[in-house]
Amino acid sequence: MNDERNLDLNRRAEDTRENSKSEVVKFKLDEIKQHFDDNIKAIKDQFNIAQELILEDKRQNAEDIWRSQVVFLESAFDFYLHELTKFGLYGIFEGTPGWKETDKYNNIEVKMSIVEGALSSGKDSKWFLEFINGMYSGVTMTSFESFKAQMNLIGINIMEIANEAFYVQGANEKTMDKLKRRINELYHRRNLIAHQSDREHANAKRNEISKDLVKDFVKDFEKIVNAINKVTLIKAGQQN
């Protein structure tokens, strides 16, 4: 009797886990961009809170707000890249105009259990969306090398992104150099804050931070994402 009851409970638990799985959604490009913009707005709103703390002579608390903004900015950029990767890979898989197969796409490894599930799905390609969502959901994409790898995976030219984001006539720094530098600067500062409380291992001294530093990060990553969005829209044939 107890065995039957335990079996019934196990089945219920499995059913609950199965029903609790969220359906994987492939958002449109404008929706992906809107998610990023919404996240940026929430980050910018924190400047007002930090300013109130400054006026209350609580600068250390304000600095912690600025540090949290760095972490959230990195998170917003990472989530944007995940959604874009999912969109691009699905476009390649479906043969959508503008989305051609890449070498990295052709080298994606798929377990036999996934293949068997795909075969049983017939023409339903939902399995692929779930597969790539699961494959990349735990992958951090925000170092420059990771970012470059993801753009190469879905066939987006990062030189076009760099030029669109940072080209200024007469500038001393090359656009690609600035793109690499800014992505890595945010990546390393976020890791320092998240893993070391923004302190140096050598002497436990906290790194300086300011509102201007954070505002510059936000401004540059808005430029980067705006550039990615523009290049991707052109690739997808949605913008002249």
Side-chain angles (χ1 to χ4, degrees):
M1 187 70 176
N2 286 336
D3 289 342
E4 291 179 2
R5 184 172 182 275
N6 290 335
L7 182 60
D8 184 54
L9 289 174
N10 288 336
R11 285 173 177 167
R12 289 182 186 179
E14 290 176 3
D15 290 341
T16 300
R17 285 194 296 269
E18 190 68 28
N19 292 332
S20 66
K21 290 180 181 179
S22 299
E23 181 179 353
V24 180
V25 179
K26 181 185 72 69
F27 291 100
K28 298 177 182 178
L29 287 175
D30 60 338
E31 293 174 320
I32 294 171
K33 177 62 163 53
Q34 189 60 54
H35 295 159
F36 178 79
D37 290 342
D38 290 344
N39 288 334
I40 288 296
K41 182 181 183 304
I43 291 167
K44 287 181 175 179
D45 287 344
Q46 299 302 305
F47 283 119
N48 295 329
I49 297 174
Q51 184 59 34
E52 291 175 5
L53 291 169
I54 291 289
L55 294 175
E56 295 174 9
D57 199 25
K58 297 178 180 178
R59 183 175 179 84
Q60 184 171 334
N61 298 105
E63 289 179 355
D64 284 337
I65 294 290
W66 296 331
R67 290 186 175 94
S68 73
Q69 287 174 291
V70 170
V71 174
F72 284 125
L73 177 60
E74 178 84 346
S75 177
F77 185 54
D78 194 34
F79 189 74
Y80 173 80
L81 294 178
H82 276 83
E83 290 202 293
L84 184 64
T85 296
K86 188 164 61 177
F87 180 92
L89 287 177
Y90 194 75
I92 295 172
F93 180 78
E94 289 280 273
T96 304
W99 296 95
K100 297 179 180 179
E101 293 182 5
T102 65
D103 290 339
K104 288 184 177 292
Y105 170 85
N106 287 325
N107 285 318
I108 292 176
E109 296 182 358
V110 185
K111 292 182 179 180
M112 283 305 301
S113 59
I114 302 295
V115 174
E116 290 170 358
L119 291 173
S120 66
S121 298
K123 294 183 178 181
D124 185 1
S125 57
K126 181 181 177 182
W127 72 268
F128 184 75
L129 196 59
E130 293 176 346
F131 164 65
I132 58 177
N133 185 72
M135 182 177 182
Y136 290 103
S137 60
V139 178
T140 301
M141 303 179 179
T142 47
S143 69
F144 179 75
E145 289 305 315
S146 296
F147 167 73
K148 183 170 68 173
Q150 293 309 116
M151 295 301 100
N152 288 336
L153 172 66
I154 58 178
I156 296 179
N157 190 318
I158 61 171
M159 180 57 76
E160 293 179 6
I161 294 169
N163 290 338
E164 181 65 34
F166 293 121
Y167 177 76
V168 176
Q169 189 172 4
N172 293 325
E173 188 175 22
K174 295 179 180 178
T175 58
M176 183 60 72
D177 290 342
K178 183 167 184 179
L179 178 66
K180 180 177 181 179
R181 176 173 63 82
R182 292 305 278 163
I183 288 177
N184 279 338
E185 283 176 346
L186 180 65
Y187 175 74
H188 290 305
R189 190 59 185 270
R190 178 267 173 197
N191 286 347
L192 196 61
I193 293 169
H195 301 299
Q196 298 172 212
S197 296
D198 210 15
R199 295 181 185 274
E200 295 291 344
H201 276 302
N203 53 20
K205 182 179 179 181
R206 260 194 158 183
N207 292 279
E208 293 183 0
I209 193 165
S210 67
K211 178 176 72 173
D212 288 342
L213 182 145
V214 180
K215 289 182 74 172
D216 285 344
F217 268 140
V218 171
K219 180 180 67 176
D220 281 345
F221 275 81
E222 282 187 292
K223 287 181 181 179
I224 292 169
V225 170
N226 286 339
I228 297 171
N229 187 60
K230 182 174 180 178
V231 170
T232 306
L233 285 171
I234 292 172
K235 178 182 177 65
Q238 298 180 27
Q239 182 171 318
N240 296 324

